[in-house]
Structure formats: structure tokens, C-alpha cells
Amino acid sequence: MQYFIDSASIEEIKEAISLGVLDGVTTNPSLVSKTGRPFNEVAKEICHLVQGPVSLEVVGTTAEEMLREAKQLRTYGSNVVVKIPMLSEGLKAVKALSAEGIPTNVTLIFQPVQALLAAKAGATYVSPFIGRLDDIGQDGLLLVRDIIQIYRQYSFKTKVLAASVRHPIHVLECAKMGVDVVTLPVKVVHQLTKHPLTDSGLKTFLEDWKKVKN
Ligand code: E4P
């Protein structure tokens, strides 16, 4: 399973790189807006910093606008994955980009048949949003499970990129299901390293070490 960081913050991305487990980055317009910086500046910096795939999202709502933006986004780096919202127009854009060999990530997936359509259009990744479904009382992990079952059934090559991940249990369940990629907010990256028994165990070891004659 690959780990992407879901962030547009250069500090957070650098922090994730320093942990040595970062495979790529996903961003969205809300994450970019939080940085307070111009989009093209942030996008170029991230693409330069990260070796793996970087998902940058289009904001146009017609296929024509999306394709125009995709062309611009790809100038920021050869690792740019064009992130496209799950719309009929989006599917048209995915089909055209996939024919040109340009990688895409279809985002805002909330039901399995959306993921089926994205795969048929030739998407490289699909992003089911787990946490946002949980927030409205639906089972986000069930969505991921259904997508994996459908993709396996028809041997689709599209990768499942679990998004809107809120806590380590989401990550654990995704790993058990064989999800290809999880994209994590930096907070969850840190949560994954923690256990209270690790902290108390280390405290005891270090205290006992002081009693050892060296
Ligand atoms: C995915 O690529 C999105 O950027 C992201 O995971 C959305 O997460 P949120 O529901 O925490 O905003």
C-alpha cells in the first residue's frame, strides 16, 4: 500500500518526506486555499519537492475547460496527475487524457458505480471519500470494499486511492482490503506512529537504563 500526503503545505510535505514513507501527494482547492499562496507557485514547489505522483485538481466544470487546465497543470512537472471531479464532463476529460497517456485521479467518489464509470473511462486512480460518508452516517469503508470487489471482478487497472481518511482505523481497514493507496492528512501520519504502551514502555526502558553501570 502506498502512502500519499493530503496537503498543499510545504512544511507538512517536507515533514512527511523526512519520515521516509512518502510515495506521493494529493491536493484539492480547499487545501491550496489554506496555504494563502498563489496556486501555480505552490503547485510547482510541490512537484519539484516530491518524486512521486502529485494530484493537482482542475476547477473547470466542462470537459473543454478541464482539458485546457490539464495542459497547464502538466507544465508544473512530469509527475502531475490531473485530478478531475466525478461529473459527466469529467468523464469525457478523463477519456481524452487517458488516450494521450496523461494520468488522472477521479475525485469526489461517493458510490461504487461512479468508480466503475471512472475506470471504464480510463482513470489512473479513483478517490472514494471515506470520512465524508461516515460524517453523514453512511459506511465509507463499505464504499471502498465495493469498489475493490468490482475492480477485481473485471480486472480494471485503475488504482483505488482511499481519501478523506480521518484516523488509523481507516488506514488499517484499507490495508486489510488491499487498497492501492491511502492519502493521509499529516495528523493521521503522526497518529499511525503512536501507541500509549510504546510511550510508557520507552519511558520505563530509559529510566531503567540510567541504573545500568556503564
Ligand atoms: C482527496 O484527495 C481529498 O483531498 C481529501 O482526502 C478530502 O478529505 P476531507 O474530507 O478530509 O476534506
Side-chain angles (χ1 to χ4, degrees):
M1 186 167 75
Q2 289 195 310
Y3 285 85
F4 288 4
I5 185 165
D6 198 28
S7 176
S9 151
I10 299 299
E11 291 96 76
E12 288 181 0
I13 294 168
K14 281 187 178 162
E15 204 177 322
I17 291 172
S18 73
L19 291 178
V21 294
L22 188 73
D23 297 301
V25 175
T26 53
T27 66
N28 65 39
S30 307
L31 292 170
V32 174
S33 137
K34 270 195 213 163
T35 68
R37 298 177 59 200
F39 173 63
N40 59 351
E41 202 182 286
V42 180
K44 278 183 209 163
E45 206 172 329
I46 297 174
C47 293
H48 188 70
L49 203 59
V50 176
Q51 286 192 339
V54 176
S55 284
L56 299 177
E57 191 158 338
V58 297
V59 289
T61 49
T62 66
E64 204 184 349
E65 287 165 343
M66 292 178 194
L67 291 172
R68 204 175 315 122
E69 280 179 68
K71 203 170 260 180
Q72 173 64 26
L73 294 177
R74 290 279 297 174
T75 65
Y76 299 147
S78 56
N79 51 349
V80 169
V81 174
V82 183
K83 199 172 179 190
I84 296 199
M86 178 62 215
L87 301 168
S88 307
E89 288 296 304
L91 287 178
K92 292 182 201 168
V94 169
K95 181 94 191 155
L97 291 169
S98 127
E100 286 181 47
I102 295 175
T104 53
N105 172 2
V106 179
T107 189
L108 293 166
I109 296 278
F110 291 98
Q111 56 152 320
V113 288
Q114 291 179 318
L116 176 59
L117 283 180
K120 281 181 80 71
T124 316
Y125 299 94
V126 281
S127 292
F129 277 39
I130 300 173
R132 291 193 196 187
L133 275 178
D134 288 358
D135 290 346
I136 60 158
Q138 292 184 23
D139 187 346
L141 286 167
L142 181 62
L143 168 66
V144 178
R145 195 165 289 122
D146 284 346
I147 295 172
I148 289 176
Q149 187 189 344
I150 293 168
Y151 281 10
R152 285 202 180 131
Q153 196 130 300
Y154 297 103
S155 306
F156 281 122
K157 290 203 180 71
T158 302
K159 291 183 176 160
V160 179
L161 193 168
S164 189
V165 170
R166 299 277 159 80
H167 47 71
I169 299 293
H170 281 158
V171 181
L172 171 66
E173 292 303 321
C174 284
K176 281 157 64 180
M177 282 187 260
V179 158
D180 299 292
V181 188
V182 281
T183 188
L184 309 174
V186 76
K187 180 182 142 227
V188 178
V189 176
H190 287 301
Q191 283 175 336
L192 289 176
T193 66
K194 301 260 179 235
H195 193 283
L197 290 180
T198 306
D199 294 342
S200 60
L202 179 63
K203 192 166 170 273
T204 307
F205 285 159
L206 294 180
E207 274 161 13
D208 289 343
W209 183 249
K210 287 182 196 152
K211 299 171 203 154
V212 175
K213 292 194 179 85
N214 281 308

